[in-house]
Amino acid sequence: MTTAAISRAATAARLKGLKCRECGAVVPIGPAYVCEECFGPLEVIYDYDEIRRQMTRESVAKGPRSIWRYLPLLPVSEDCIVTLHEGMTPLVPAPRLGKELGLRNLWIKNDAVNPTYSFKDRVVACAVSRAKEFGFETVSCASTGNLGCSVAAFGGVSGMKPVVFIPHDLEPSKIAGIGSYSPTLIAVEGNYDDVNRLCAEISATKKWAFVNINLRPFYSEGSKTLGYEVAEQLGWRAPDHVVVPIASGSLLCKVYKGLHELETLGLIGPVKTRVSGAQGLGCSPVATAFLGNKDEIVPVKPNTIAKSLAIGNPADGPYALDIIRKTGGSAAGISDDDIVTAIKLLARTEGIFTETAGGVTIGTLAKLAREGKIGKDEVTVAYITGNGYKTQEAIVPTLPKPPVIKPTVKDVEAVLGR
Ligand SMILES: Cc1ncc(COP(=O)(O)O)c(C=O)c1O
Ligand SMILES: [Zn+2]
């Protein structure tokens, strides 16, 4: 057998199909995303007995320093992997931030240092690799900015053609970031939900791989690696509490799924992790439902500086809400001013400069800590999912202008106030 045939056979052995999250119907692996019976979303299902044979703590440790060390738990064949060495980002202790918030066991998962500076490289690596495996020639997406950057980068190196759709009013640094990879970039008059609707229409007529539409079941699996890595980096144990930003709600659901898969495989002990969700106050449909004790998530028109989280009608919102409730987690909506304060707090205390989504996460962490909703000794992980250089506009107006001086010691001493 060739290497490719061996890797396809291993994939076939561990992937059982796509299962509807609503009615449980199962269909074969293919570029499908909604159930034909009930229109529910489809999810990849695995044969965990087979994966137990393919994966141990030792085999993971010998794997690459990227998300691909967990290949048996990802829906891709080894010979089709498209990688920019994404993942295995630092999990760092945060003692100074912890001290300010009264938390004695706080960690930051710094995913702002991925190849295109956000966690989206994890999901896009999975989706683009799968698109290649399915034989697509074009990869596309509707993006709030970070996803577009990642699709442009991975699409470019994969040999497929990247086409990125964005809302026209994205932050200039995100537009520049996407443009640098030379994709076809199209700005749409409307918000993310409008762009997403447009892309869903296009996907019905063009044979393109829309990573977050027709490849969504494969794409979203990449986020599970943020659960795996944290458990491995903590010495193969689940954290007690995680704080996760919510846009569509997929990341939160997959961190939960990832931790529970490791438990199923016997790689970690019983998972009791409490999962809390973070949103910007101007786009907080999940936090609002949680705090109002409602089951229904009411869509909103986003108005927040956290544009990467500005999805007013989150596809995975109900599932995220359910996980927050059943794990005993919590949720919060953070105002624009508090997002900026939190960005600066993280930078000052731990030297990590995050984008507005990270401000939402740290703002939520601080709020929940103040309210006593995070235990002082809980092993708590806050997920920082994007880099501060992507949303400089958010903090520039709040920073003092540096004094401009002549290159003399006298001038230095004058500004130092001596
Ligand atoms: C920086 C950042 N963090 C978190 C998220 C949330 O992702 P999800 O849509 O999976 O909830 C996004 C989504 O765009 C993002 O860009
Ligand atoms: Zn169904």
Side-chain angles (χ1 to χ4, degrees):
M1 268 213 285
T2 63
T3 323
I6 293 169
S7 98
R8 301 291 170 105
T11 315
R14 65 179 192 263
L15 297 191
K16 290 212 292 201
L18 296 172
K19 184 174 178 182
C20 173
R21 281 154 84 181
E22 291 299 320
C23 76
V26 176
V27 295
I29 293 289
Y33 67 108
V34 280
C35 173
E36 290 191 355
E37 308 285 327
C38 75
F39 301 108
L42 298 176
E43 183 169 49
V44 180
I45 50 168
Y46 299 85
D47 181 337
Y48 292 109
D49 290 332
E50 172 61 29
I51 292 174
R52 226 172 266 126
R53 281 190 283 276
Q54 295 188 16
M55 186 172 163
T56 60
R57 285 186 187 179
E58 292 69 35
S59 73
V60 171
K62 282 195 206 122
R65 282 200 61 78
S66 72
I67 63 167
W68 300 106
R69 66 205 277 111
Y70 310 106
L71 174 65
L73 286 163
L74 297 173
V76 172
S77 296
E78 190 166 13
D79 63 298
C80 292
I81 290 174
V82 178
T83 184
L84 296 172
H85 311 286
E86 54 288 344
M88 275 316 264
T89 53
L91 176 72
V92 293
R96 292 159 295 263
L97 177 60
K99 193 159 183 219
E100 297 217 7
L101 303 183
L103 301 175
R104 288 192 277 257
N105 227 330
L106 179 63
W107 299 76
I108 301 291
K109 178 63 171 166
N110 184 7
D111 235 30
V113 298
N114 267 309
T116 77
Y117 308 105
S118 88
F119 92 98
K120 292 287 178 184
D121 291 336
R122 298 171 181 275
V123 280
V124 170
C126 279
V128 168
S129 302
R130 238 309 147 174
K132 191 172 147 195
E133 193 159 347
F134 284 141
F136 282 100
E137 289 171 3
T138 300
V139 280
S140 187
C141 69
S143 171
T144 55
N146 288 321
L147 179 59
C149 235
S150 198
V151 165
F154 281 81
V157 302
S158 74
M160 290 178 279
K161 181 174 151 46
V163 182
V164 174
F165 293 86
I166 51 170
H168 67 110
D169 62 347
L170 272 195
E171 298 95 339
S173 31
K174 282 202 175 130
I175 297 178
I178 300 169
S180 70
Y181 304 103
S182 305
T184 301
L185 176 59
I186 300 171
V188 179
E189 284 178 16
N191 61 26
Y192 172 80
D193 297 288
D194 298 318
V195 181
N196 195 39
R197 214 174 309 119
L198 171 66
C199 287
E201 263 180 62
I202 302 170
S203 76
T205 57
K206 289 200 186 299
K207 282 210 165 78
W208 291 2
F210 278 91
V211 298
N212 53 345
I213 302 176
N214 51 348
L215 285 224
R216 193 171 178 83
F218 306 95
Y219 156 94
S220 57
E221 288 289 281
S223 289
K224 296 189 307 185
T225 58
L226 269 172
Y228 307 149
E229 283 178 22
V230 161
E232 186 186 351
Q233 290 168 319
L234 286 173
W236 292 105
R237 60 156 292 184
D240 299 322
H241 206 136
V242 290
V243 181
V244 187
I246 297 176
S248 71
S250 171
L251 170 61
L252 185 144
C253 297
K254 297 292 176 167
V255 166
Y256 173 84
K257 180 178 177 186
L259 291 172
H260 283 269
E261 282 182 328
L262 295 186
E263 177 187 332
T264 302
L265 293 172
L267 293 173
I268 59 175
V271 174
K272 299 198 186 93
T273 310
R274 301 206 285 151
V275 181
S276 289
Q279 295 200 292
L281 188 60
C283 183
S284 55
V286 179
T288 303
F290 175 80
L291 295 170
N293 236 335
K294 299 273 183 338
D295 285 334
E296 198 199 344
I297 292 177
V298 181
V300 298
K301 226 180 161 85
N303 181 14
T304 167
I305 57 167
K307 293 188 182 175
S308 54
L309 303 181
I311 298 185
N313 190 8
D316 290 298
Y319 302 110
L321 180 60
D322 181 48
I323 289 170
I324 293 169
R325 284 214 172 109
K326 75 181 177 204
T327 62
S330 190
I334 303 302
S335 71
D336 286 358
D337 283 351
D338 288 349
I339 292 171
V340 172
T341 303
I343 290 173
K344 291 187 191 166
L345 173 64
L346 180 65
R348 175 170 61 75
T349 54
E350 300 299 340
I352 295 171
F353 180 30
T354 184
E355 70 147 90
T356 46
V360 168
T361 301
I362 298 300
T364 298
L365 175 78
K367 189 158 193 282
L368 299 184
R370 254 193 329 267
E371 292 170 355
K373 291 178 180 155
I374 299 180
K376 288 190 186 324
D377 289 310
E378 278 188 306
V379 175
T380 301
V381 175
Y383 282 96
I384 293 303
T385 48
N387 198 294
Y389 288 99
K390 292 192 180 227
T391 59
Q392 297 173 48
E393 303 76 9
I395 66 157
V396 167
T398 72
L399 301 175
K401 280 219 157 37
V404 179
I405 61 165
K406 298 253 164 21
T408 68
V409 172
K410 190 165 133 269
D411 273 39
V412 174
E413 283 181 355
V415 296
L416 292 178
R418 286 236 248 124

